[in-house]
Each structure stands twice: as C-alpha cells, then as structure tokens.
Amino acid sequence: MKESKNKYYNDIYFKKIINFIKEYRLDEAISGFQKYLEVYPKDIAAYNFYADALIRANNLDMAELVLSEASKLFNEETSDKAKKSYYLVLIKLLLHQKKYQKCFNVMRKCKKYTDGQYSYNSLILFLKKKLKLLKEEDLKQDIYSLRQIVSYNEEEVLKYIKNTTLNYNVICFKENFPLEDVYERIRQMLPLGSKMIKDVLTDTYIFKYDANGHVKGKLVDYIEVITLADSNEIIKMYPYENREKRNFTDLNPNLDEVSRIRRISQIEKFNQRYNRK
C-alpha cells in the first residue's frame, strides 16, 4: 500500500478486514490489521477491532497491548463512538481475563458507553455472582439465560436444548441422538483451550460427532456448544455445519464410556442430594 500516513483511515480496506472476522478467518484478520495499522496508525477503530479479533482467537495478552495503544490516541477530539467501541472491547477482555472487579468498575464508571450494550443486565449479574455480591432479588429471574447465570441448572438446560432443536425445524438433533450422554461427556471435558470468544459473556466450542443432526435438511457432523465464560456450564448446544472449517474436538464416541460417565454422574448427584458419601 502506498497511502500517506497522514490519512487516518481507509474505509474500503478496513471493511475487507472486518469481513475476515465475520467469516471466522481470524488469522487473516489479525494479519490484515497489523499491516493496516502500519499505514493508518491513528485509526482508533482499527485498534479496537484488532483487539477484538485477538480476543476471539483467545490471544488475550496481545489484545491487552493493542488496547493500551488505542487508549494513548484518546484526546479531546475522540468521538463517543470510538470511546464506546474501546470500552466494550475492554470489558470483554477484562471479563475473559477473570479480572472481575476491574471489569465491574469499568462498567459502572463508563455506564454512558456500556448501558444497553452486551446485555448489560446479564453482565452485571455474572460479575456480581463472581464477586459474591448477589442479593436475594437477583436470584429471582424470569429469563432462561439470566437464571442460568445466577444458578446453573442442568435439567433446565437439557430441556431448553431439546425444545429448541425440536421446535426449530432448520436445526435439529436426530431422534436417536444421545443428547444427555453427549452433554455429560462434553461437560467433563470443558473448559478447553480451543475455545473461540465470540461474545463477551460466553465461550464457543466446536465438537465433531458424525451424523448427529440436521441443518436446513442436511445431515451434519459437528456440534456448536456455547458455555458461560471459562466454565463447563453449557447454555446452548446444536448441530453445526462448520463450513468455515473451524478447529474442533473429535467426540465420535465410545458409547460404553459415555454411558459409564453418565451413570457415575447420576450416582454422585443422588448421593449429594441425600447427603451420602
């Protein structure tokens, strides 16, 4: 590129890199932002999106350095839009770094930029739980996602997954798919380093399980699993095409082993319920 460094941004080039993120081509997006910022080193938006791409790829240390560079560009002329983008990415980073108190403080201090974004109430509940600040009224939630944040309930999760895939015709597990066994097996494995951090409050994983269900009538071999951040608390799980060829964990089962894990888990729950050792 031969553009002058006096220019602040290149909208066409910038959007091309953003498309790499939308297509899960994170390596290309990260490389693209590195080259872009050599030419347009004052583009705060590029730093923010670059940091978000790094977070998505679970490269949190590098994302922290990039956001630090972005903050150095702030001045009296910095737009609210650029500040909002910066703080939203910073909150996402802090949460996935497990810096819960700092994340909580930033959300409260910068509410002007965060209120109404990233499901503000969900984030506050999650942070209050991590910081042991939940009050009795916080435990009374009508929305499925909020209930799972304050008090994870695997029976409700399994019911939610079953109802979602049964009623959502374009994406559904096969009738004979051993949902409970696979769910239990995945929970035993999580969290894993292969996660993708798409959203501020959750982690995303891809598992391979041959012919598990259908997406738009097509039989597929992958499952996308969404968990609460840095945990094995699955909140969503459904058949997935994986057309992007994202990294996956092979789950093709030894069903005897899966059933054994499930039985052990159920026995442990029974003993806990009745205070048996």
Side-chain angles (χ1 to χ4, degrees):
M1 295 177 61
K2 296 182 180 180
E3 287 88 346
S4 167
K5 286 194 176 185
N6 293 323
K7 292 185 178 181
Y8 282 104
Y9 64 91
N10 181 314
D11 198 42
I12 295 174
Y13 185 29
F14 182 83
K15 288 179 179 179
K16 180 180 178 180
I17 303 172
I18 296 300
N19 283 333
F20 289 149
I21 297 177
K22 293 178 180 179
E23 296 169 1
Y24 301 103
R25 295 159 63 183
L26 294 180
D27 288 343
E28 292 173 80
I30 290 167
S31 175
F33 278 123
Q34 289 170 344
K35 295 174 183 176
Y36 178 95
L37 286 167
E38 289 177 2
V39 183
Y40 304 101
K42 295 183 180 181
D43 188 346
I44 295 178
Y47 282 100
N48 294 337
F49 277 91
Y50 179 22
D52 186 63
L54 289 163
I55 295 170
R56 286 170 179 262
N58 201 19
N59 191 342
L60 304 184
D61 291 342
M62 187 63 185
E64 184 175 2
L65 292 174
V66 171
L67 281 182
S68 177
E69 291 300 309
S71 68
K72 294 175 184 177
L73 297 174
F74 280 21
N75 56 47
E76 63 276 4
E77 296 181 358
T78 303
S79 68
D80 279 353
K81 182 178 180 181
K83 290 179 181 177
K84 175 180 283 191
S85 174
Y86 168 82
Y87 283 117
L88 292 179
V89 178
L90 177 61
I91 286 166
K92 184 177 182 180
L93 173 66
L94 292 172
L95 186 138
H96 286 277
Q97 287 179 320
K98 303 182 188 178
K99 296 179 180 179
Y100 301 127
Q101 186 63 62
K102 189 172 182 180
C103 186
F104 190 75
N105 294 343
V106 170
M107 286 197 68
R108 289 298 179 87
K109 182 179 179 180
C110 305
K111 192 173 180 180
K112 171 183 177 181
Y113 303 111
T114 59
D115 197 6
Q117 303 293 320
Y118 275 164
S119 300
Y120 183 85
N121 291 336
S122 299
L123 263 177
I124 289 293
L125 274 178
F126 182 88
L127 292 169
K128 287 173 73 174
K129 180 180 180 180
K130 292 296 183 181
L131 297 170
K132 303 187 185 307
L133 297 175
L134 286 175
K135 298 179 180 179
E136 187 174 346
E137 58 265 29
D138 293 323
L139 303 176
K140 301 173 183 178
Q141 299 294 335
D142 296 327
I143 300 173
Y144 165 78
S145 59
L146 299 183
R147 287 198 301 274
Q148 296 309 314
I149 289 171
V150 297
S151 181
Y152 189 75
N153 184 313
E154 73 169 33
E155 291 181 3
E156 184 178 15
V157 170
L158 283 167
K159 182 178 179 181
Y160 175 85
I161 293 171
K162 290 175 183 176
N163 288 342
T164 301
T165 55
L166 285 174
N167 297 328
Y168 199 47
N169 293 329
V170 295
I171 302 176
C172 58
F173 287 115
K174 293 197 308 186
E175 287 187 13
N176 62 347
F177 177 71
L179 176 61
E180 294 186 5
D181 289 341
V182 173
Y183 164 88
E184 196 66 47
R185 186 179 179 193
I186 292 174
R187 287 203 69 193
Q188 294 278 344
M189 300 169 70
L190 296 176
L192 294 169
S194 59
K195 67 185 178 184
M196 181 177 177
I197 304 174
K198 290 166 49 177
D199 299 312
V200 66
L201 199 53
T202 60
D203 296 328
T204 301
Y205 300 91
I206 304 296
F207 291 90
K208 190 171 192 296
Y209 189 111
D210 292 344
N212 67 80
H214 296 85
V215 174
K216 297 180 180 178
K218 178 182 178 181
L219 191 62
V220 297
D221 297 326
Y222 298 89
I223 300 169
E224 185 166 73
V225 174
I226 313 295
T227 71
L228 291 175
D230 197 50
S231 78
N232 69 346
E233 296 179 346
I234 298 168
I235 54 175
K236 294 181 182 179
M237 177 173 152
Y238 41 79
Y240 190 70
E241 282 191 82
N242 198 20
R243 286 181 294 176
E244 310 87 0
K245 297 182 179 179
R246 291 157 58 187
N247 292 335
F248 62 87
T249 300
D250 197 339
L251 202 64
N252 282 301
N254 177 335
L255 287 177
D256 290 339
E257 177 64 14
V258 173
S259 297
R260 185 186 72 81
I261 291 172
R262 182 70 183 174
R263 286 196 303 272
I264 291 173
S265 176
Q266 294 300 328
I267 291 169
E268 288 175 348
K269 289 174 191 172
F270 179 84
N271 289 338
Q272 289 172 1
R273 182 173 298 175
Y274 294 99
N275 295 318
R276 294 185 177 182
K277 296 182 179 180

